[in-house]
């Protein structure tokens, strides 16, 4: 399976900047040996999807509500994302877990809603610096996997240590190898053979200069990229570092 290189634009970019970034990514997206995905702010998903239609770059949301529709002021549903051209959605990002109080149970419901709408979920897990310092990283990630993934699960997992997000601190290749091997074991324990086929992305200060080393680690099925996805050249350089299928 090809590696997936996903860009999380977070809350960055006005309309014209989002369009320019999408065009820049599309311009270098031909002939890569990986899958490419960009996740703009919800307001820009439709316009970016129009720009990227017919290119190898897929579009995703950064969150969705667990219901299909209803009285949920300010939210968007997975069905709405799908309707405007998104085929992926990031769920349970640590910024949503921390800033919006999202629990594993809620993330599981959102994941189910995404799958029901035909939108592939990327479910994020990862420990905080304190949890790692206390030697609890695998326990925390194990609980997050058990609580956030519905059965069956048709999606992707992203391991994003919270202390590595937006900090410039990258997990070492040894940390990534150990955690990805643990996640693979947990996925197989939860889903049997199907757990072998679930891609596990690494996320946390991935950039062009460290991408090749991180993407070469066993059980790393791609990267979830924040800051470095806001520059088309840097994002494409990460994509070129992906392992060929
Ligand atoms: C992210 O927010 O998913 C992320 C990995 O951010 P950054 O690459 O900026 O650390």
């Amino acid at each position: 399976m090809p590696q997936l290189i996903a860009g999380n634009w977070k809350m960055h970019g006005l309309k014209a900047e989002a369009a320019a970034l999408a065009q820049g990514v599309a311009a270098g997206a031909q002939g890569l040996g990986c899958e490419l995905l960009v996740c703009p702010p919800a307001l820009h998903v439709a316009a970016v999807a129009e720009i990227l239609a017919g290119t190898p770059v897929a579009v995703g949301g950064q969150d969705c509500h667990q219901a299909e529709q209803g009285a949920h002021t300010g939210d968007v549903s997975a069905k709405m994302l799908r309707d405007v051209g998104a085929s992926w959605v990031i769920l349970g990002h640590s910024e949503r877990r921390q800033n919006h109080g999202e629990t594993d149970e809620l993330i599981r419901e959102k994941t189910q809603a995404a799958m029901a709408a035909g939108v592939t979920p990327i479910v994020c897990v990862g420990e905080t610096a304190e949890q790692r310092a206390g030697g609890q990283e695998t326990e925390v990630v194990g609980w997050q996997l058990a609580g956030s993934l519905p059965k069956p699960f048709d999606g992707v997992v992203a391991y994003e240590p919270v202390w590595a997000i937006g900090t410039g601190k990258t997990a070492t290749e040894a940390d990534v190898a150990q955690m990805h091997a643990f996640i693979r074991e947990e996925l197989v324990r939860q889903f049997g053979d199907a757990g072998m086929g679930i891609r596990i992305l690494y996320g946390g200060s991935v950039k062009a200069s460290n991408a090749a080393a991180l993407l070469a680690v066993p059980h790393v099925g791609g990267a979830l990229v924040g800051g470095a996805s806001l520059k088309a050249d840097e994002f494409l350089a990460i994509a070129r570092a992906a392992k060929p299928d």
Side-chain angles (χ1 to χ4, degrees), residues 8 10 90 93 95 124 160 164-168 202-206 224-228:
N8 174 10
K10 307 195 185 187
I90 299 168
H93 191 281
E95 288 154 14
C124 303
E160 297 211 304
I165 295 180
T167 59
Y202 169 74
S205 298
V206 176
L224 181 52
V225 185

Side-chain angles (χ1 to χ4, degrees), residues 64-72 76-80 109-110 113:
C64 70
H65 196 275
Q66 64 275 26
E68 198 177 290
Q69 60 179 354
H72 303 292
V76 298
S77 70
K79 196 173 176 184
M80 290 169 180
E109 287 172 13
K110 290 183 174 201

